[in-house]
Amino acid sequence: MLSYILRRLLSAIPTLLLIVTIAFFLIRLAPGGPFDLERPLEAKVMENLNKIYQLDKPLIEQYWLYLSAVVRGDFGPSFILRDFTVGELFARGLPVSMTLGGLALSFAILVGGTLGAVAALRQNSLIDYVVTGMGALGLTIPNFVVAPVLQIVLGLALAWLPIAGWNGGAPLNLVMPVIVLALPQIAVVARMTRAAMIENLRSNHIRTLRSLGLPSLTIVVHALRGAALPVISYLGPAAAALLTGSVVVETIFGLPGIGRYFVEGALNRDYTLVMGTVVVVAVFVLLFNLVVDILYAIIDPRIRYD
Amino acid sequence: MTEPVLAIRGLQVRFRTGDGILQAVKGVDIDINAGETVAIVGESGSGKSQTMMSVMGLLASNGWAEGSVKYRGQELVGLSPEKLNNYRGSKLTMIFQEPMTSLDPLYRIGDQLALPLTTHGGLSKTKARERAIELLELVRIPDPKRRIDSYPHELSGGQRQRVMIAMALANNPDVLIADEPTTALDVTVQARILELLSDLQKRLGMSIVFITHDLGVVRRFATRTYVMKSGQVVESGETSALFASPKHPYTKMLIDAEPRGRKEPAPAGAPMVLDAKNIEVNFATKSGWFGKTSHVLRAVDNVSLSVRAGETIGVVGESGSGKSTLGRAVLRLLPASGTVRFEDRALMPLDRAGMRPLRRHLQLVFQDPFGSLSPRMTAGEIVTEGLLVHEPRMSRKERDRRAAQAFEEVRLEPAWRNRFPHEFSGGQRQRIAIARAMILHPKLVVLDEPTSALDRSVQKEIVDLLRDLQKTHGLAYVFISHDLAVVRALSDEIMVMKSGKVVERGTAQDIFERPKEDYTRDLIAAAFLNQQEPDATPLAS
């Protein structure tokens, strides 16, 4: 197992290199540059800026410089948010995004998993219909609708929660963004858990447990473990997406996460910021896919990687 | 007479389906006395399994039972699952047809064995483990101390069924219900499991209810037999009396349905259709980054096979013996080495495109009549698909005419060719699969267990059909099967395969009457469970 993990980590290096390369040249293909403002800067100023940020060098040399810096852990300075390096921006924003995403993820697993399991155990009952119906709602109503509605109801009308802001991560400030982030995930997890549970409850080995007269709790535990597999394979990529922040949620609630950097960076041709975001997201995706595979092997003894 | 352990009276089982309410069991009376073995016989759909499933409270959620099932005077019908749990798993237990999937793949067998012990027997975890090892010893699993920590996928089908039996016997039940316990297993394994069950019964004294379609098992083990058809018991009585003088026409039909008759020999001097020499197939397992070959499995090891027009070669062996792989290799559906000649052409040097025009002469019929037909095409489209490739210029009208003809040939109503596969029974689907091969007027057909998934009476019809088609068209058959009764009824020559090698070959008569190898003898002995006793009705047609 350990050697498998090591192999997987090693094989992530060429993948990352490929992603970085493609992203680097793609963003350079976009017209314009980081210092193209509405009123063009003086030629001399522009020249100096380009020199400072090494944008005057041939593209291939810039690529090489960037790569060698990244290997040392240096993501370079941000072009737009002066005085900050990309590393510093992530050091501030990533914990915010990860807190929100992590909470939303745990919330989604707990609530979605429970709802899905209950719905499966009471298939075609009222609660089953409620869960499947709400699941459809959670998926179809976009977060930029849910978020303002929550802000108006919970923030303004009832005034139970602060409308927006990070406030050093105070629990009350987290409630609404976490709910908005978690809702669609709850819907998906509930639906997947329900489907997988139903399939498992009908399987022959559950029939064996029933024929042995075992209590329903034992049967539920066995069915849940089997049902966890498809849900986990969905949760891997979902976790990567949640933990790297959401543009919409962070913008609406005015949160200093990293979700908005991707959009802002791309629009402003902040090359280093875009590249930094790409690397962070790629690392998360690779990491969580590995986590999924490891969890799979732990849950299902038939899967062996050695 | 003493009170029966299990008394079923007027049991009815209904299912709520999309097409309304379906009555699967229509008022059944069955008694099981202490320590006796009772068989419930019938073909698929007779309601034999559902009768016993309702005793155990295991009906699907859309089904329910009415009537009465009394265990030692206690009414079981209508009990809540919690109340029922006082009886099932301890007093009444059940083993199933599907040993491969009846154990939870995610838990060690020791943990699964411990569940009924800790729940009903009130044993502690450590005591339960000790007892689980004893139970594994009881069902003769080798090396139980080590095996107890295995996962189900590390055991063979026969071993898994042994574990199921151990779980069922954990709390010394009064009644063990065995629902087709050996159907999914190889014949020699079948025989060992049945011996184990009858031996355990002698030692532990429980009653056994065999649900089966296999009359050989019934004859050998059951003291009394109930014959079920369409949800009703049509005949019952002492097994020997029932077999000696069956009264109901359905019982007669069942007993008569065992394949019999022999093949007439192929005309002398018939042309050679397929001649395969020194066939070898290797499967390599690759591992590591650079795909180093870590393990080579020789699935077929230096096997030769030749078949003339009108002749049938039976290939017999247990699962994993390489018989299906051999069938595919001679059709060049798998990479293999050796030489294969079809009529006067060597097949091995041909590439895929080169093989294509020859394919119409070399057809294949599969075991699974459910999986091998596309559910989204009509039966007519399925049957004529080969014509699209081999006779692309044929008009739609002509194709349709050929489909109707092919349907008639396999004795299906030609008007049914616009129906979809799910509207047909298993036997009818297998006829469609045969029609799909026949429409191309092949010279050689490889039949890969074409009758294994079918009821005996349907099997007999398919065997008759295959025999007639062979006679009319002078077909050469390679008939692959683990069912020696069917092979005997169809083959001129038989090859017995084991671990990729041919252990014995000869004419059908020689193999059955004078087997030379122990393995062949084992196979025949085990299969004779499915056969008439030697002194019963003579087999010759």
Side-chain angles (χ1 to χ4, degrees):
Chain A
M1 191 68 170
L2 216 68
S3 85
Y4 169 76
I5 296 172
L6 210 73
R7 272 209 315 272
R8 279 285 295 269
L9 288 176
L10 282 176
S11 71
I13 293 171
T15 315
L16 268 178
L17 182 73
L18 199 71
I19 293 170
V20 168
T21 310
I22 293 172
F24 184 90
F25 290 106
L26 263 186
I27 183 79
R28 299 304 172 112
L29 277 179
F35 310 115
D36 294 335
L37 305 179
E38 270 170 44
R39 250 183 344 154
L41 296 170
E42 261 178 65
K44 190 74 192 161
V45 178
M46 195 70 165
E47 198 180 299
N48 279 336
L49 274 170
N50 279 342
K51 202 171 202 163
I52 293 168
Y53 290 103
Q54 296 175 317
L55 292 174
D56 54 340
K57 299 205 166 114
L59 196 57
I60 198 77
E61 198 183 333
Q62 289 182 41
Y63 170 67
W64 182 247
L65 285 169
Y66 183 74
L67 264 193
S68 42
V70 165
V71 169
R72 279 180 270 112
D74 176 11
F75 288 95
S78 170
F79 292 152
I80 305 302
L81 303 159
R82 312 272 161 80
D83 310 329
F84 288 103
T85 67
V86 172
E88 281 166 352
L89 286 173
F90 282 124
R92 289 173 169 214
L94 202 52
V96 174
S97 290
M98 283 179 70
T99 309
L100 290 168
L103 285 171
L105 188 69
S106 324
F107 198 49
I109 294 170
L110 273 178
V111 178
T114 314
L115 285 178
V118 170
L121 289 169
R122 303 259 177 278
Q123 202 194 341
N124 296 329
S125 69
L126 184 67
I127 183 156
D128 183 22
Y129 295 138
V130 171
V131 169
T132 19
M134 294 213 311
L137 274 183
L139 272 177
T140 44
I141 302 182
N143 50 7
F144 55 79
V145 175
V146 179
V149 169
L150 284 184
Q151 283 175 320
I152 292 169
V153 176
L154 298 179
L156 287 175
L158 299 170
W160 289 347
L161 297 168
I163 295 169
W166 176 241
N167 193 17
L172 280 182
N173 286 59
L174 295 178
V175 176
M176 278 198 282
V178 168
I179 289 176
V180 174
L181 275 175
L183 271 181
Q185 304 301 333
I186 291 175
V188 178
V189 170
R191 277 173 54 142
M192 294 189 75
T193 311
R194 176 179 176 275
M197 270 291 271
I198 287 175
E199 199 191 317
N200 248 276
L201 285 169
R202 283 187 192 149
S203 68
N204 287 336
H205 59 264
I206 296 294
R207 181 184 65 189
T208 304
L209 297 179
R210 288 213 172 105
S211 82
L212 290 171
L214 300 174
S216 17
L217 183 67
T218 315
I219 291 169
V220 172
V221 168
H222 278 249
L224 258 181
R225 181 159 169 185
L229 290 171
V231 181
I232 284 172
S233 57
Y234 162 77
L235 280 176
L242 275 177
L243 294 177
T244 48
S246 149
V247 191
V248 176
V249 172
E250 287 176 8
T251 309
I252 293 179
F253 290 102
L255 301 168
I258 64 163
R260 54 212 163 92
Y261 289 157
F262 213 14
V263 178
E264 279 176 20
L267 290 177
N268 294 321
R269 306 285 182 275
D270 190 341
Y271 298 144
T272 44
L273 189 59
V274 170
M275 291 305 297
T277 321
V278 167
V279 172
V280 169
V281 173
V283 166
F284 270 86
V285 169
L286 289 171
L287 206 66
F288 276 95
N289 277 323
L290 178 61
V291 170
V292 165
D293 289 344
I294 293 170
L295 279 177
Y296 247 79
I298 291 173
I299 292 177
D300 191 341
R302 285 167 295 183
I303 295 169
R304 285 283 171 268
Y305 298 117
D306 305 312
Chain B
M1 197 179 136
T2 48
E3 181 93 334
V5 185
L6 198 66
I8 302 174
R9 289 285 172 275
L11 184 74
Q12 307 198 15
V13 178
R14 290 187 177 80
F15 290 95
R16 194 175 289 109
T17 70
D19 304 327
I21 286 176
L22 181 120
Q23 191 169 3
V25 179
K26 301 165 183 163
V28 162
D29 297 344
I30 291 174
D31 283 324
I32 313 293
N33 298 313
E36 74 170 342
T37 305
V38 175
I40 303 178
V41 189
E43 307 209 297
S44 32
S46 61
K48 56 189 195 301
S49 288
Q50 296 308 334
T51 302
M52 285 300 147
M53 286 291 201
S54 59
V55 170
M56 296 295 288
L58 294 176
L59 292 174
S61 57
N62 61 339
W64 70 98
E66 286 162 28
S68 158
V69 175
K70 282 197 169 133
Y71 164 73
R72 293 190 189 283
Q74 164 68 46
E75 180 60 56
L76 300 181
V77 171
L79 278 192
S80 69
E82 288 73 30
K83 290 247 172 64
L84 205 52
N85 283 350
N86 296 328
Y87 302 98
R88 49 182 184 185
S90 51
K91 297 298 162 207
L92 306 168
T93 55
M94 188 159 181
I95 57 174
F96 302 93
Q97 186 176 0
E98 305 89 353
M100 300 309 279
T101 53
S102 287
L103 294 168
D104 193 330
L106 308 183
Y107 290 82
R108 293 175 199 279
I109 61 164
D111 296 333
Q112 302 192 47
L113 259 171
L115 284 172
L117 291 166
T118 49
T119 309
H120 300 295
L123 297 187
S124 67
K125 279 239 164 93
T126 41
K127 276 270 186 309
R129 189 180 162 87
E130 283 168 25
R131 174 91 177 110
I133 294 175
E134 282 171 33
L135 284 166
L136 289 180
E137 236 161 84
L138 186 72
V139 296
R140 297 182 215 143
I141 296 250
D143 201 0
K145 285 209 177 70
R146 202 168 54 82
R147 275 303 182 192
I148 194 164
D149 291 319
S150 304
Y151 287 99
H153 70 274
E154 295 164 324
L155 304 182
S156 69
Q159 286 176 323
R160 290 188 211 186
Q161 197 60 295
R162 283 166 197 268
V163 174
M164 284 296 294
I165 294 171
M167 283 169 87
L169 297 182
N171 294 303
N172 295 318
D174 285 339
V175 180
L176 170 67
I177 300 166
D179 187 359
E180 305 257 9
T182 58
T183 308
L185 302 170
D186 276 330
V187 276
T188 53
V189 183
Q190 266 180 29
R192 274 177 242 132
I193 294 279
L194 290 169
E195 272 160 35
L196 172 72
L197 278 174
S198 89
D199 178 49
L200 288 171
Q201 184 182 28
K202 279 186 202 114
R203 288 164 62 183
L204 307 174
M206 74 277 186
S207 315
I208 295 185
V209 182
F210 268 115
I211 303 170
T212 183
H213 67 272
D214 188 337
L215 298 182
V217 174
V218 177
R219 218 175 334 228
R220 181 136 157 206
F221 293 103
T223 42
R224 285 191 307 123
T225 300
Y226 290 85
V227 180
M228 279 189 75
K229 179 184 189 272
S230 321
Q232 283 168 318
V233 173
V234 294
E235 190 167 0
S236 64
E238 298 286 322
T239 307
S240 50
L242 197 118
F243 273 88
S245 56
K247 295 199 175 53
H248 194 277
Y250 182 71
T251 318
K252 284 185 189 147
M253 192 276 285
L254 275 184
I255 294 174
D256 199 41
E258 314 246 296
R260 56 178 73 198
R262 302 284 169 70
K263 188 184 167 301
E264 290 167 30
M272 183 70 78
V273 176
L274 188 89
D275 188 19
K277 288 211 166 63
N278 311 92
I279 298 296
E280 216 162 88
V281 181
N282 294 316
F283 291 120
T285 340
K286 292 192 171 164
S287 68
W289 277 7
F290 303 104
K292 270 177 298 185
T293 304
S294 62
H295 180 72
V296 175
L297 176 85
R298 186 151 294 174
V300 176
D301 190 355
N302 198 15
V303 174
S304 300
L305 172 160
S306 64
V307 52
R308 296 171 181 278
E311 199 181 26
T312 305
I313 304 291
V315 185
V316 179
E318 302 195 80
S319 40
S321 61
K323 56 189 193 305
S324 290
T325 312
L326 173 69
R328 270 154 227 217
V330 296
L331 295 184
R332 298 243 16 235
L333 293 169
L334 282 174
S337 65
T339 59
V340 183
R341 294 187 73 81
F342 167 69
E343 292 182 327
D344 52 354
R345 264 165 294 194
L347 297 188
M348 280 304 184
L350 298 177
D351 58 6
R352 285 176 81 134
M355 276 302 293
R356 201 165 296 139
L358 296 177
R359 289 264 177 232
R360 64 175 308 168
H361 304 301
L362 306 164
Q363 288 293 308
L364 179 63
V365 174
F366 299 96
Q367 168 175 8
D368 177 8
F370 292 90
S372 58
L373 303 179
S374 164
R376 286 177 191 79
M377 290 165 80
T378 66
E381 286 169 349
I382 291 170
V383 168
T384 53
E385 205 179 11
L387 289 175
L388 293 176
V389 178
H390 293 291
E391 287 178 36
R393 267 195 286 271
M394 187 180 277
S395 70
R396 179 183 290 267
K397 215 169 172 182
E398 173 64 9
R399 267 208 310 277
D400 199 48
R401 200 185 62 75
R402 288 277 292 272
Q405 217 178 356
F407 268 63
E408 249 165 58
E409 197 164 24
V410 297
R411 292 167 215 153
L412 282 175
E413 188 57 53
W416 291 351
R417 64 185 185 280
N418 294 324
R419 296 188 182 178
F420 285 92
H422 70 265
E423 298 173 76
F424 294 92
S425 70
Q428 288 170 334
R429 282 161 181 249
Q430 203 56 292
R431 284 170 195 270
I432 296 172
I434 293 169
R436 165 167 67 182
M438 292 304 161
I439 202 168
L440 297 168
H441 305 313
K443 296 194 167 132
L444 172 86
V445 184
V446 174
L447 301 153
D448 192 352
E449 306 253 16
T451 59
S452 310
L454 306 173
D455 275 330
R456 270 291 188 209
S457 60
V458 185
Q459 264 183 19
K460 191 189 175 195
E461 292 166 18
I462 298 283
V463 166
D464 287 344
L465 171 68
L466 289 171
R467 213 188 259 148
D468 289 350
L469 288 170
Q470 181 168 44
K471 214 185 226 168
T472 329
H473 300 289
L475 295 170
Y477 284 156
V478 175
F479 189 87
I480 299 163
S481 183
H482 68 272
D483 186 339
L484 281 94
V486 179
V487 171
R488 159 144 85 175
L490 268 178
S491 311
D492 296 293
E493 209 177 301
I494 292 175
M495 298 164 50
V496 181
M497 283 188 74
K498 188 189 181 188
S499 323
K501 290 194 175 76
V502 175
V503 291
E504 188 168 356
R505 66 200 308 164
T507 63
Q509 203 173 358
D510 280 349
I511 294 278
F512 279 95
E513 284 166 20
R514 291 175 290 278
K516 291 187 193 68
E517 295 293 319
D518 286 344
Y519 181 68
T520 315
R521 268 193 282 274
D522 279 353
L523 277 181
I524 294 171
F528 262 63
L529 289 172
N530 313 328
Q531 282 275 319
Q532 276 90 349
E533 300 307 322
D535 56 344
T537 29
L539 273 166
S541 55

